[in-house]
Amino acid sequence: MEVVIAPAGDLARLAAASIEALLTEHPRSVLGLATGSSPLKVYDELARRHKDGLSFAHARAFMLDEYVGLPADHPERYRNVIEREIASRVDFAPGAVQGPDGNAEDLERACADYEAAIAATGGVDLQLLGIGTDGHIAFNEPGSSLASRTRIKTLTRQTREDNARFFGGAVGDVPRHCLTQGLATIMSAKHLVLLATGRAKAEAVHQLVEGPISAMWPATIMQMHPHATVLVDDAAASRLQLADYYRQTYAEKPDWQGL
Ligand code: GLP
């Protein structure tokens, strides 16, 4: 696991540069897109690079998760968030961006179909991730099976409170259920790039990087991934025991290596 500690703008540029390098070398790459506020600067940076010629025309993308039961036109439905924040700002082909269907009649079937759709592409090449204050990735809340695949989950009170800001501050308006890629689904991606900023994420980031692997902090499963990059600002890094070592390692990293 590589930890990079830098200002938020630099982190977004690093993540975007990694995606640009991937798409330039392999235009048919499969991207994993995250919601939440953490990747928004990355999406701004990708939209800017698209104006400078970066193309997504042959790429495909899969979303991490979706609320269950939000009306199709609800602005916080993740499908709409991804459309607004990135898909509509670049040149993905029609149908190239997919997400789990939180309004399906048969939710179990929708989850199995989603797993099959990801597998049919050969899998995600680069997965963007944020992290919840309770250590969840996608919507894999504490207690999630470390071997889980896409399925329905119940959101914790903490996550619903954290996400209430997207629903006018009303916790009661945040859905109680979601469909989410499982931890094993996420672990199948070839490169994981997680972004976290702000002091509220410091404990989760400490557990993710330095804690014991445990379903209590689901993101800790990333320690088992052969290519995981954790991009954090000073505040999110403030509880890392080996912060000085990570800073030194990154400062001395050879230029050719990339993320
Ligand atoms: C939601 C999303 C996660 C995201 C998390 C953190 O729960 N399902 O994918 O990582 O929020 O969000 P933020 O980046 O806004 O802190």
Side-chain angles (χ1 to χ4, degrees):
M1 181 176 281
E2 177 176 35
V3 181
V4 179
I5 304 170
D10 293 357
L11 302 176
R13 278 188 288 279
L14 278 172
S18 196
I19 291 171
E20 176 158 23
L22 180 69
L23 288 176
T24 303
E25 195 172 344
H26 303 290
R28 298 185 179 279
S29 292
V30 182
L31 303 176
L33 302 176
T35 40
S37 46
S38 302
L40 293 181
K41 284 194 169 72
V42 181
Y43 296 151
D44 290 344
E45 185 64 22
L46 289 174
R48 196 187 64 69
R49 287 167 190 244
H50 171 61
K51 284 194 181 131
D52 287 346
L54 173 62
S55 177
F56 295 72
H58 301 290
R60 275 162 300 176
F62 288 94
M63 295 163 46
L64 280 172
D65 46 11
E66 182 60 274
Y67 290 114
V68 166
L70 280 186
D73 60 352
H74 195 290
E76 290 309 319
R77 188 176 163 235
Y78 279 172
R79 190 67 192 77
N80 298 332
V81 172
I82 287 292
E83 185 64 25
R84 183 169 70 235
E85 301 296 347
I86 180 67
S88 64
R89 301 167 75 190
V90 299
D91 61 341
F92 280 114
V97 179
Q98 296 183 56
D101 183 359
N103 288 329
E105 286 266 308
D106 183 342
L107 291 172
E108 276 187 53
R109 178 73 184 271
C111 293
D113 289 350
Y114 196 59
E115 284 282 331
I118 297 172
T121 66
V124 171
D125 293 297
L126 187 152
Q127 177 66 60
L128 284 175
L129 293 163
I131 186 169
T133 55
D134 62 2
H136 72 248
I137 49 174
F139 268 139
N140 292 281
E141 298 283 29
S144 288
S145 160
L146 301 179
S148 50
R149 311 298 310 198
T150 303
R151 69 214 184 287
I152 188 166
K153 286 292 288 183
T154 303
L155 298 175
T156 61
R157 175 82 191 175
Q158 175 72 59
T159 295
R160 293 179 65 238
E161 282 173 6
D162 287 350
N163 289 1
R165 68 189 191 281
F166 297 116
F167 292 81
V171 184
D173 289 350
V174 183
R176 292 172 187 277
H177 296 101
C178 62
L179 303 186
T180 180
Q181 286 191 29
L183 292 168
T185 319
I186 294 167
M187 288 290 284
S188 303
K190 295 177 190 74
H191 183 193
L192 304 181
V193 178
L194 182 143
L195 291 112
T197 55
R199 186 164 288 269
K201 302 291 174 69
E203 176 65 14
V205 167
H206 161 61
Q207 294 290 339
L208 153 66
V209 178
E210 299 172 333
I213 296 173
S214 162
M216 279 304 287
W217 292 92
T220 56
I221 192 62
M222 288 174 60
Q223 293 175 26
M224 297 291 289
H225 198 284
H227 191 186
T229 306
V230 176
L231 304 174
V232 286
D233 69 356
D234 281 329
S238 59
R239 298 211 52 193
L240 288 174
Q241 288 169 12
L242 299 184
D244 289 346
Y245 173 62
Y246 309 137
R247 284 196 174 89
Q248 179 198 348
T249 303
Y250 187 65
E252 293 170 3
K253 183 173 176 166
D255 285 341
W256 52 262
Q257 213 172 21
L259 283 186

